[in-house]
Amino acid sequence: MNSRNLPVSHVEGGWTIGVGWTRKVVILASVLNILALLLIILSILNFTPLSLLASVSIGGALMGAAILLYIVVVFADLRRRRVL
């Protein structure tokens, strides 16, 4: 399979990330990742037990969900290319 058969749409300004549901999942995962990082930064700037608890529990869960979504997109792409 060459690069012309990849599931990437061409737009006038340049290339976009994926098509269909994979693009939405990558955007969702990136938003979850940014929120998790903001919670971690919050615990550094305002070091209280509540902010530390939010950083570890909520931030960790958001980051874990983002990583799982990234893995789902990678496996779907590998299956679409018939590697797996």
Side-chain angles (χ1 to χ4, degrees):
M1 177 178 277
N2 59 22
S3 63
R4 293 182 185 173
N5 295 335
L6 294 178
V8 177
S9 62
H10 183 62
V11 185
E12 187 175 320
W15 294 96
T16 61
I17 302 170
V19 291
W21 69 273
T22 57
R23 178 186 173 119
K24 292 176 185 175
V25 171
V26 168
I27 291 172
L28 176 65
S30 62
V31 168
L32 289 176
N33 207 356
I34 290 170
L35 289 175
L37 290 173
L38 286 175
L39 279 173
I40 292 170
I41 290 172
L42 173 70
S43 72
I44 294 172
L45 296 177
N46 186 15
F47 191 72
T48 62
L50 185 61
S51 66
L52 185 63
L53 181 66
S55 169
V56 171
S57 61
I58 300 170
L62 290 176
M63 196 168 290
I67 290 171
L68 285 176
L69 289 174
Y70 286 134
I71 290 171
V72 165
V73 170
V74 168
F75 277 123
D77 186 49
L78 290 175
R79 287 186 55 87
R80 185 180 1 221
R81 295 178 191 206
R82 296 188 178 130
V83 174
L84 293 179

